[in-house]
Amino acid sequence: MSKAKPSSFAPYFTRKDADQLRAAFLAAGHAEGYASVSELIEAATLKEVRRLQRKHNNGRLWEGAAPGALRPGQRTAIESQPREQQS
C-alpha cells in the first residue's frame, strides 16, 4: 500500500464482484502478500493505471488531478445501459 497519506476513494462493486473480491482475498491474499483487501484493490488499480499510461500517454505519468476533479458517485441509469440503448 502507498506509504504517503492516502487519498480516499470508494469504488463500487456489484454484489457478485464484491463477493469474489472478498473470496479471492480470503483464499489467496495473504499468500500473495496483501495485508488487506484495500491493498489488493490498490495494487490491481495501479496495475491498470500503468497499462493506461503505456497505451495512452507514452508510458509517462499524467499530471495529477486534484480531489474534486471527478464527478462523484456511480453511473446514472442511462450511463449504465449498453451504448446502443443510450439514445
Side-chain angles (χ1 to χ4, degrees):
M1 202 148 130
S2 296
K3 300 296 180 199
K5 183 177 179 183
S7 186
S8 180
F9 283 93
Y12 298 98
F13 294 97
T14 64
R15 181 176 301 264
K16 182 179 176 182
D17 289 343
D19 289 349
Q20 286 299 298
L21 175 59
R22 285 189 294 271
F25 175 75
L26 290 171
H30 293 292
E32 293 291 325
Y34 299 113
S36 67
V37 74
S38 291
E39 283 189 9
L40 173 58
I41 293 168
E42 180 184 17
T45 302
L46 293 178
K47 181 178 180 181
E48 177 65 2
V49 167
R50 288 189 295 275
R51 186 191 72 79
L52 293 170
Q53 288 168 334
R54 287 190 302 273
K55 184 174 181 178
H56 299 284
N57 202 36
N58 296 316
R60 297 184 317 250
L61 298 176
W62 280 292
E63 183 176 327
L70 306 177
R71 182 188 81 191
Q74 300 183 48
R75 293 178 180 200
T76 65
I78 290 175
E79 291 170 333
S80 296
Q81 295 176 355
R83 286 184 185 257
E84 59 273 4
Q85 294 178 9
Q86 293 182 16
S87 308

